[in-house]
Structures are given as structure tokens and as C-alpha cells.
Amino acid sequence: MKPVVELKRISKNFGAFSALRGIDFDVYPGEIHALLGDNGAGKSTLIKILAGVHRQTEGQILVRGKPMKFRSPRDAADVGIGTVYQDLALAPLMTVARNFFMGRELIKGPELLGMLDDRRMARVALEEMAKIGIELSDAKQPVGTLSGGQRQSLAIARAIYFGANVLILDEPTSALGQKQQLEVLKSILRVRARGDIAIIFITHNEIHAQLTADRYTFLSLGEVIGSGSKVDLNPGEIRRLMAGGAEVADLDAELSAIVAQHSVQDAKSQAHKRTSEATNG
Amino acid sequence: MSFWRTALARPETSVVIGTILVVLFFTISTGGAWLSTLPSVFRVTAQVGLIAIGQAFLMSSGEIDLSVGSTFAVAGLVAIWAMDILTLGVAPAFLVALAASSLIGLVMGVFTVYFKVPSMIVTLGALFVLRGIAYISTQGFSLSIPREFRKDPLVLLAKAKTFDLNNTFIVLLVATVILAIVLSRTRFGSHVLAVGGDASAALANGISPAATKIKAFMVCSAFAGLSGILVLFQEGSVYSTSGIKLELEAIAAAVIGGCTLRGGSGSIWGPVLGVFVLSSLKGGLMMLGAPTSWYIGLVGALLIGFLIVSQVISASTQPTA
């Protein structure tokens, strides 16, 4: 099987600052490839190049083996790369169905009049969301009444329905409560189970990556510092790479040093408080 | 239960309640005499209502037009100019004036969208500029329809009544139905609400907020112009002061009728009821013997009252926002 998307030696400079340096990355249909790294590692720049928002300074993007030049997000969407950004691109006051079909409304009757086929849009929206495990009874409820997880799933279902076979999920579980995160992870796994969609899962939550991903790529300061499949990497290694390659033991030591210092200070100030209270009283 | 939930969640709920209260109050307190003033209330409602529905449409896209009162006057002047100087017939003059009004909307829309000046400022500027044009072209007084056109069938039609209702009021009813369908049932309306709700979300889904907002500006100005032309046909003249403060009444009615300055949601028929409530007050107060000078203060009090009521209602029906 060939990767549906392949990035070769991608570099990106913003003026003198190089955000990405020679990144290799690929993803196959039916797999979840987690892209991990701390803030500023270059994850967003990389997906923006894939989504056609930025252009790479060097390197090549291959889609199904063919080299591509994305001039706009439209170009990327046309070859089936769908991006679900953190803000989800939903209008909270509008209904679920209207949001699902925002900008691609279904029309009945003469095209010129543009009369919306609300019934068909409602049916399709509910069906598509049910496919990834979100059962809603009413497509007419405003998106504002949905939970964060349901909104995320709505955006994912929408991207798939409109032809995404490469799904880029930008931190889909951040800013959600524990239960909602689980709901979104389940949706992602249901998309994976279809087998025809390649998922790029951007996150800085290693637990979420371990729960879902087949492969991992770790970025730090614009470079790939590690990659591998579920079998290749043990949890300790994943945590080390998540921290940008620093030894977790070192971090532990640093942290406990701070904690120790703090408790000494605490003890001192407590003692000080007691003495001043005593003198005042 | 679900019916009541839905009914309460509608933006028009408070204005419907308000309308019923106003009708009951004036009917009972005047012993039914107030009902005989309804035709003149409808006449005023038609004039302000046409402006208010355009305003409501624009507000749904998240913008506002303060210049509608001036556009109202300029549209009438353009119609007179087209008849008088261009020696066009009444119908072509009507269309020229309507096109000129839309052009005003187009220009304001372009300024708002491309130069990123808030619409409140752009249209405030337009309010003064257009009023200035009205002062200059009327030389501070008024202009009238040229004599030879005063008996034109179209002019007479605008003055006439059907089933004891002013034809302009019937125009308002038809326009309200059409615009309400456009906003709630068509692609354009859906784009207006999407852009008003979250412009960046709309853009990410391939809707151009710029084009959508400019079109909404044009709709708003066209309706203000339509009102101005119809009133010109009814009254025969445009004064340098025609339409002053109409923008405030139209915006007040739109807000009372369920529109918000934030955009993203809105109503077309709610604002018509809003205009009706405001228009009823004027005549109703007079019949009760209250000085008409009370009217303007009461409008302000009502506006705030309605907003509080609808806030309370929406807070009680929307668990999460």
C-alpha cells in the first residue's frame, strides 16, 4: 500500500527564522498518525503547509504519489485534504444542519432562487454524525447547545462528508472536559475503522496519542526528533520525546528541587507568621 | 412543553407579547375608539416598517446602517431629479431612485468591508453626507414631483387604498414575507446569518463575508430608498428634513423585534411588529390625553424594557450559549 500523503524534506522559513527543517512525514489510509510536540515545535506550521495555508520553502508534497503545489486551502481541499481546526469553523447560533452544510447548502427548485432543502440537510447531517457515534435527535438545535465533543464530531463528520480522505485534526481534545475528550477519541477511532481515511492527529497529550495512534512522529524546534509505530516505542520513550527529547529523569530532578525549595520557604514563612502573631497578640 | 420551549426561544416572543399588550391597553382604555385610528397607524408603520426590515436584514449580518433616514430623503430627491431633469417617466424614475439607493449601500459596504472601518462610523458619516446633499438640493426647503407626473397611475396607486388599507402597507406586508423567506429559507439568507454569527467560520467554509455583507448593505439601503420613494408618491414632496431620526426608530424597532447588534440571528416580521408598537404609542397616547412630547422618552424606556425582557426569556430557555 502506498501512503496517501507524503512529505519529503519539508522546510519552512519565516524570514531568518526557520520553523521547519527537513521534515519527512507520511500517512496511509486507515491509520492514525499522531503528530506530537510541545508548543512551538512546528506542528501548526507543518499542518498549515499540508492544508495549503502556507507554502513550503523547500521540499515536496506528494499526494497519492503525485507531486503537488498548493496555492490555497482550496487546492488542498480539492485533493481530499480536510482540516478540522481548533476553532472548528462553526457558527453557534445556527442549527446543526445549517452548520453542517455551511457554504455548501443543498438547494431545491430553481438554482437561482436558492431555496434551501432544510429537510434533506437535516437528515444527512444526523446520519453522518450517527456514523461516527454522535446520536442527535434534532438537527434544528443551535450548535451552541451541543457539547464541545459533539461540536468536534460535527466538524469531523462534515469534513468527511465533503470528501476528505486525509483528515487533519488540530488538537481536537484540548479545551475539552475528560468525558468529552473520550467522546472525541471514540469518534476518531470510528473514522479509522472505515479504513479509507488517513488521519493526522495533532496533540500534545501523549495519553490520547497512545489510546488511538498507529504511528507517532515527534517534532521539536522544527525537526523530527523521533518517530515509529506503536510497537517500536514504549511509553517511557514516548514521554521522553514529548518533552522535546529531554530525559524525564532530569525533569523529575528539576521539579523535585523546586518543590523542595518551596516547602522550605513555606516552612519559613509559616514560622515567621507564627512569631509575628505571637508578638502582636 | 416542547412547543412552549420553541415559542419562548424565538427572538420575536417579547414583541408578540408587547403587541398584544399595547392593543389590549389602548383598546380598553379608549373604549374601543383607538381601533378607528388603526389605518393611520398602519400608514406610519408602512413607512418606518420598510426601513426596519432592511435594517433587520443588515443587522443579521452583524452590521448596522445609521444612514437610512438620509437615504430615505435622497431616494425621493433622486426620483424627482430623474423626472424633472432626465425627464423620465415615473416608473423609470422609481427604478433609478431604487438603483441609486442600492449604490449608496454598495459604497458603504465596500468602505466597511475593505477599509475595515466599523459600519457604525461609515454609515454615521454617510448620514451626514447624504443629509448634506438633501440640504443642498432642496436649498433647505423642499422639492416636489413635477406637475405633469402628479396624476401618474403609479403615483396614484401609492396613494390609494385597498380594502381600507394603504397600498404602501400592503407593499410592506408583501416585502416582509419575501424578505423573511430570503433570510430564513434561502442560501443567501443562510450566508448572511453565518457571516453575522461567525465571519471567520463562514470564510473557512467558503462563504465570502465581504460579498455577503456588501449585498446586505445594498438590501438595507434599497428598502430605505423604497420607503422614501413611496412616501414621496404619497405626499408629493421631499423636505430637507425628511427622514430625520427615522434611523433611530427603525433600529429601535429592529431591536424590539428580536434583532441584535451582534448579528447571527434576526427576525424580519418581529421588527414590523416593533414598528407597529412604536407607531401605536404616538396616536394612543394622544387619545389618552397625554402630551405627545412624552412619546420619545417612552420609546427609549420601551426599548430598554424589551431588551431586558428578551434577555430574561433567552436566559431561561438556553442552558448553554
Side-chain angles (χ1 to χ4, degrees):
Chain A
M1 198 161 48
K2 284 174 74 179
V4 54
V5 166
E6 210 174 341
L7 300 181
K8 285 186 170 168
R9 313 296 306 157
I10 292 284
S11 295
K12 174 72 186 174
N13 301 335
F14 293 103
F17 171 68
S18 62
L20 295 173
R21 289 190 292 268
I23 305 286
D24 290 320
F25 185 86
D26 60 7
V27 63
Y28 290 84
E31 79 162 348
I32 298 176
H33 192 154
L35 184 60
L36 298 115
D38 216 341
N39 292 333
K43 300 183 306 254
S44 313
T45 312
L46 190 65
I47 59 157
K48 278 183 177 156
I49 289 174
L50 251 179
V53 179
H54 291 327
R55 253 127 337 274
Q56 70 269 30
T57 318
E58 273 170 56
Q60 234 187 349
I61 303 175
L62 302 176
V63 177
R64 292 174 205 89
K66 276 196 283 182
M68 288 286 158
K69 275 213 166 65
F70 295 150
R71 272 175 225 92
S72 70
R74 186 110 243 169
D75 290 350
D78 285 346
V79 296
I81 297 175
T83 312
V84 178
Y85 289 107
Q86 264 170 303
D87 65 14
L88 302 179
L90 298 170
L93 292 174
M94 292 182 88
T95 67
V96 169
R98 292 281 180 92
N99 266 288
F100 194 94
F101 284 94
M102 194 194 288
R104 307 177 188 93
E105 293 81 3
L106 298 179
I107 301 300
K108 59 183 176 189
E111 177 65 24
L112 191 70
L113 290 180
M115 296 297 289
L116 296 175
D117 194 344
D118 275 315
R119 198 173 298 172
R120 200 149 60 93
M121 291 197 290
R123 203 192 57 220
V124 174
L126 290 185
E127 279 172 10
E128 293 302 315
M129 289 187 69
K131 279 184 195 167
I132 58 169
I134 304 296
E135 301 281 351
L136 294 179
S137 55
D138 183 11
K140 278 191 178 161
Q141 60 182 304
V143 157
T145 63
L146 299 185
S147 72
Q150 288 172 326
R151 289 182 213 193
Q152 186 77 44
S153 300
L154 167 56
I156 293 172
R158 179 172 67 179
I160 295 170
Y161 181 74
F162 289 105
N165 41 43
V166 178
L167 195 58
I168 303 173
L169 305 176
D170 183 11
E171 309 257 4
T173 53
S174 65
L176 291 182
Q178 201 99 89
K179 218 175 129 200
Q180 309 288 335
Q181 292 178 345
L182 213 65
E183 203 174 323
V184 172
L185 293 179
K186 280 196 234 160
S187 290
I188 296 173
L189 285 173
R190 283 200 184 85
V191 176
R192 174 173 171 265
R194 291 170 47 128
D196 56 342
I197 292 174
I199 301 163
I200 301 171
F201 180 16
I202 291 118
T203 179
H204 48 222
N205 186 322
E206 79 225 35
I207 298 165
H208 293 167
Q210 283 177 44
L211 283 169
T212 53
D214 303 292
R215 283 197 295 150
Y216 309 87
T217 293
F218 297 89
L219 290 186
S220 179
L221 302 172
E223 287 177 16
V224 174
I225 57 163
S227 63
S229 67
K230 214 168 190 161
V231 224
D232 302 335
L233 299 167
N234 65 44
E237 181 71 358
I238 290 175
R239 217 165 322 133
R240 188 184 72 83
L241 290 166
M242 269 310 293
E247 289 297 341
V248 176
D250 291 352
L251 282 178
D252 274 349
E254 276 180 50
L255 286 176
S256 39
I258 295 169
V259 172
Q261 205 180 358
H262 216 75
S263 43
V264 172
Q265 275 174 358
D266 266 6
K268 270 188 192 162
S269 69
Q270 283 291 324
H272 179 76
K273 214 171 162 190
R274 262 195 303 273
T275 34
S276 60
E277 267 167 18
T279 40
N280 287 339
Chain B
M1 245 352 249
S2 135
F3 167 79
W4 287 109
R5 268 197 93 76
T6 323
L8 279 177
R10 298 278 321 168
E12 299 94 349
T13 310
S14 52
V15 79
V16 170
I17 297 168
T19 307
I20 295 169
L21 290 180
V22 161
V23 169
L24 286 179
F25 176 75
F26 284 128
T27 308
I28 293 167
S29 59
T30 61
W34 176 76
L35 290 174
S36 65
T37 67
L38 274 179
S40 69
V41 171
F42 285 150
R43 185 188 153 117
V44 180
T45 301
Q47 176 185 344
V48 186
L50 281 171
I51 301 175
I53 60 175
Q55 187 74 253
F57 194 80
L58 179 61
M59 284 171 79
S60 305
S61 82
E63 302 294 341
I64 196 164
D65 183 358
L66 298 178
S67 75
V68 283
S70 301
T71 305
F72 171 92
V74 167
L77 292 170
V78 170
I80 292 172
W81 168 77
M83 289 183 234
D84 206 14
I85 312 289
L86 300 183
T87 63
L88 294 174
V90 173
F94 177 91
L95 294 177
V96 167
L98 210 53
S101 313
S102 317
L103 187 67
I104 293 171
L106 175 73
V107 173
M108 293 189 302
V110 167
F111 270 75
T112 302
V113 168
Y114 289 109
F115 298 105
K116 308 238 184 308
V117 187
S119 54
M120 207 168 287
I121 304 300
V122 171
T123 59
L124 181 64
L127 180 154
F128 289 119
V129 171
L130 295 170
R131 181 59 60 192
I133 291 172
Y135 278 126
I136 293 167
S137 53
T138 59
Q139 294 173 325
F141 300 103
S142 68
L143 287 181
S144 300
I145 298 179
R147 197 169 302 275
E148 64 267 35
F149 294 119
R150 284 181 199 167
K151 295 278 177 241
D152 188 276
L154 204 57
V155 173
L156 295 179
L157 193 66
K159 283 184 183 173
K161 290 184 170 192
T162 306
F163 304 122
D164 220 26
L165 284 175
N166 277 91
N167 281 347
T168 51
F169 186 70
I170 294 169
V171 171
L172 171 68
L173 293 183
V174 173
T176 302
V177 170
I178 293 174
L179 207 54
I181 290 174
V182 169
L183 184 64
S184 65
R185 297 264 178 272
T186 70
R187 178 163 46 199
F188 176 40
S190 201
H191 288 186
V192 165
L193 291 170
V195 164
D198 190 331
S200 58
L203 184 63
N205 286 298
I207 300 169
S208 161
T212 308
K213 285 188 173 183
I214 289 173
K215 284 185 211 161
F217 269 105
M218 293 175 73
V219 168
C220 177
S221 296
F223 274 100
L226 176 63
S227 177
I229 301 163
L230 291 179
V231 169
L232 166 69
F233 287 177
Q234 278 182 330
E235 296 179 357
S237 307
V238 179
Y239 302 87
S240 59
T241 54
S242 288
I244 281 184
K245 288 198 196 120
L246 274 185
E247 63 282 339
L248 298 181
E249 276 186 56
I251 293 167
V255 171
I256 288 173
C259 293
T260 71
L261 295 176
R262 276 168 283 128
S265 70
S267 168
I268 299 298
W269 60 269
V272 175
L273 287 185
V275 175
F276 174 77
V277 168
L278 294 183
S279 315
S280 306
L281 280 181
K282 234 183 227 172
L285 284 179
M286 224 173 348
M287 291 187 82
L288 290 180
T292 47
S293 42
W294 285 24
Y295 168 70
I296 195 83
L298 210 61
V299 169
L302 265 178
L303 183 61
I304 297 168
F306 266 103
L307 274 185
I308 292 172
V309 170
S310 53
Q311 289 288 357
V312 170
I313 290 175
S314 73
S316 73
T317 54
Q318 284 168 359
T320 51

